[in-house]
Amino acid sequence: MATPAMAQARDCTEGQTRFIADSPPALSRLAASRAWTMSTGRGVVVAVVDSGVAAANAHFPKGSVLPGKSFVGGRATTDETGHGTAIAGVIAARDIGEKSGVVGLAKGATILPVKITGGAPTGDEEQQRSANLAKGISYAVSAGADVINLSLSTTSNRPDVRAAVASAVKAGIVVVASGGNRDQSAEAKDGPRYPAANPGVVGVTAADARDVVTQSSIHGPQVDLAAPGDDILTTFRAWGDCVFSQEAQSSSYATAYVSAAAALMRERYRSASPAEIAYRLEATASRGSRTVRDDVSGWGVVQPYEAMTAVLDETVAGPVAPGATPRVTPPPQVSAIDLTPARDPRAGDRTTVLWLLLGTGASVLALAMARMLRQPQRS
C-alpha cells in the first residue's frame, strides 16, 4: 500500500530530482530482507532489453550499469522514456542512504542495458521494438547476461525472436517476459503473448496489493508466475525516485521483480539450468491450490526466500521438476450407490418386546375391570 509520502510523489517531473524515504511496498511483500540473508544477486548480470537505462541516476553508481548497446542510436545508458530505468531500479537499484528507501530486489546485481526502443523518433515505436527485439536478445547472450528481462509483449510469435530466445535458454540464461497488460495492448482479449509464451521463458503477470491478479493483466497460457505490479517505487531516469503504476497493475514491473528473484537464484545456484531455476520459483510460489496452475496467476506469487531454501523432491506438489516424469492423475472412480434399506438386525427383538408390552397391558386392564365388577353396588 502506498504511504502518504509516496502519494505526494506520484507526479514525476523531468529535471526535478526527488527522493522518497519510504521503502518500496513490494519488498516487504516479497520478504526481501530474508532473501538478502541468502543472496543479493552479486556477480549476476541482468540484461534489461528496453528503452535504455539512465546510468546518471544516483541509485546506479559506477560499475552497477554496464555500457551495453543501443540499436536505436545514441547510448544505451540514456533513457528518453524512463521505462527501462524504472525496470532496472526494481531489479538492482543501489541503497543511497536515509534520503531514499529505493533499492532493488537483487541489489547486488549488475545491469546490462540493451536499448531497442526510444532514442531518435523513427515512427511506430511498437514496430521499432519488435524489429530490434531479436537483435537485442542475441546481443545480451553474446555480452554474457545471466538473466534477460523483457518487460514487453506482443500477440505476434516472430520466428526471429523465438530463435533468439531459444539460443538464450540454450546458453543457460533465464529469460523472463511480461504476460501482457490489457490497457496497453492493441489486442485486449486474453490469450498467448510473446515472447512469454515461447518455450523456456518465464511469463509474468501483475498482482495488486492483496496479491490478487486482476483484469488489468492479460490472462493466458503464457503466465507462469505473478509478482507485485502496483504502486512501484523505483528510479526515475536521472532524477531520483518516483512512484509508477498507481491506477492499475503493470506486468512490466512484476516481470522485473521476477527477473530480480531469478538473479538471486543465479548467485546461489550457479550451475543450475534455466529450467531448474524456473522450477524452484514456480514450485515455491504462494497460491491457493498447491497442485493446480491457472491462466490468471500461473503457479502463484513468487517467493524468493522460499525458492532459495526449500527442499524440493518428488513429493512436492505443483509443477513437474525438470527431467521428472509427469504426474498421472487417475480419473475419479464412480460407482453406483445401493439405496436398498438395510435390514434392522434387532427388528425381531423389538417386535417381541412390543408384543410383551401389549400383552402385559391387556392383562393389567382385564384384572382391573374384573375387580371393579366384583365390588358390591351401593344403594
Side-chain angles (χ1 to χ4, degrees):
M1 181 179 294
T3 65
M6 287 174 59
Q8 295 175 4
R10 292 181 184 275
D11 296 325
C12 309
T13 305
E14 292 190 15
Q16 180 179 328
T17 300
R18 175 168 45 190
F19 295 103
I20 303 171
D22 297 320
S23 175
L27 294 184
S28 61
R29 287 159 59 186
L30 297 177
S33 58
R34 294 184 69 195
W36 291 334
T37 64
M38 311 298 296
S39 170
T40 62
R42 184 179 178 84
V44 178
V45 175
V46 181
V48 175
V49 182
D50 212 290
S51 62
V53 176
N57 190 291
H59 289 284
F60 299 124
K62 185 177 180 180
S64 61
V65 177
L66 300 173
K69 183 173 183 176
S70 173
F71 291 88
V72 292
R75 293 176 298 158
T77 50
T78 61
D79 182 6
E80 288 74 24
T81 71
H83 189 264
T85 303
I87 296 302
V90 167
I91 298 170
R94 300 299 198 258
D95 185 354
I96 60 172
E98 294 182 359
K99 66 180 179 180
S100 174
V102 169
V103 63
L105 177 60
K107 59 183 181 178
T110 301
I111 296 295
L112 173 69
V114 184
K115 193 171 183 176
I116 63 168
T117 187
T122 58
D124 188 344
E125 183 178 339
E126 177 70 24
Q127 184 179 9
Q128 179 191 64
R129 185 175 64 181
S130 296
N132 291 324
L133 180 55
K135 292 184 287 186
I137 295 172
S138 296
Y139 166 75
V141 174
S142 65
D146 298 297
V147 178
I148 296 178
N149 182 92
L150 304 172
S151 288
L152 47 86
S153 67
T154 177
T155 56
S156 176
N157 186 9
R158 292 175 57 114
D160 58 343
V161 174
R162 191 166 62 247
V165 166
S167 176
V169 174
K170 185 177 180 180
I173 300 170
V174 182
V175 182
V176 186
S178 164
N181 301 309
R182 203 172 303 278
D183 62 348
Q184 297 173 4
S185 174
E187 174 54 76
K189 294 181 180 178
D190 289 333
R193 294 296 187 274
Y194 301 91
N198 289 139
V201 178
V202 180
V204 183
T205 191
D208 65 13
R210 300 169 299 156
D211 287 340
V212 174
V213 176
T214 71
Q215 285 296 314
S216 294
S217 296
I218 298 291
H219 306 158
Q222 74 278 11
V223 177
D224 298 304
L225 288 167
D230 60 343
D231 287 321
I232 302 300
L233 176 54
T234 184
T235 45
F236 173 48
R237 294 173 67 182
W239 304 303
D241 310 338
C242 195
V243 181
F244 297 90
S245 193
Q246 306 96 314
E247 305 302 327
Q249 299 77 47
S250 172
S251 63
S252 286
Y253 305 113
T255 300
Y257 275 117
V258 172
S259 288
L264 298 178
M265 294 285 294
R266 175 54 75 206
E267 180 194 353
R268 184 163 176 79
Y269 299 103
R270 269 292 173 187
S271 61
S273 69
E276 289 168 337
I277 287 179
Y279 169 68
R280 276 194 161 270
L281 293 172
E282 293 165 8
T284 58
S286 174
R287 54 187 178 272
S289 171
R290 299 308 303 171
T291 59
V292 179
R293 176 213 160 270
D294 60 53
D295 284 352
V296 177
S297 58
W299 288 108
V301 179
V302 68
Q303 302 293 316
Y305 178 79
E306 285 76 4
M308 288 187 287
T309 58
V311 177
L312 302 178
D313 56 29
E314 66 277 1
T315 65
V316 176
V320 178
T325 303
R327 300 180 181 90
V328 177
T329 302
Q333 298 297 319
V334 179
S335 58
I337 300 175
D338 184 2
L339 298 179
T340 303
R343 179 181 177 277
D344 186 350
R346 307 198 65 179
D349 295 341
R350 291 192 178 92
T351 300
T352 302
V353 171
L354 178 60
W355 281 111
L356 287 173
L357 290 174
L358 290 173
T360 302
S363 300
V364 171
L365 181 60
L367 290 172
M369 292 181 64
R371 184 175 180 182
M372 291 174 61
L373 291 173
R374 288 196 302 269
Q375 292 179 354
Q377 298 292 323
R378 295 182 180 179
S379 56

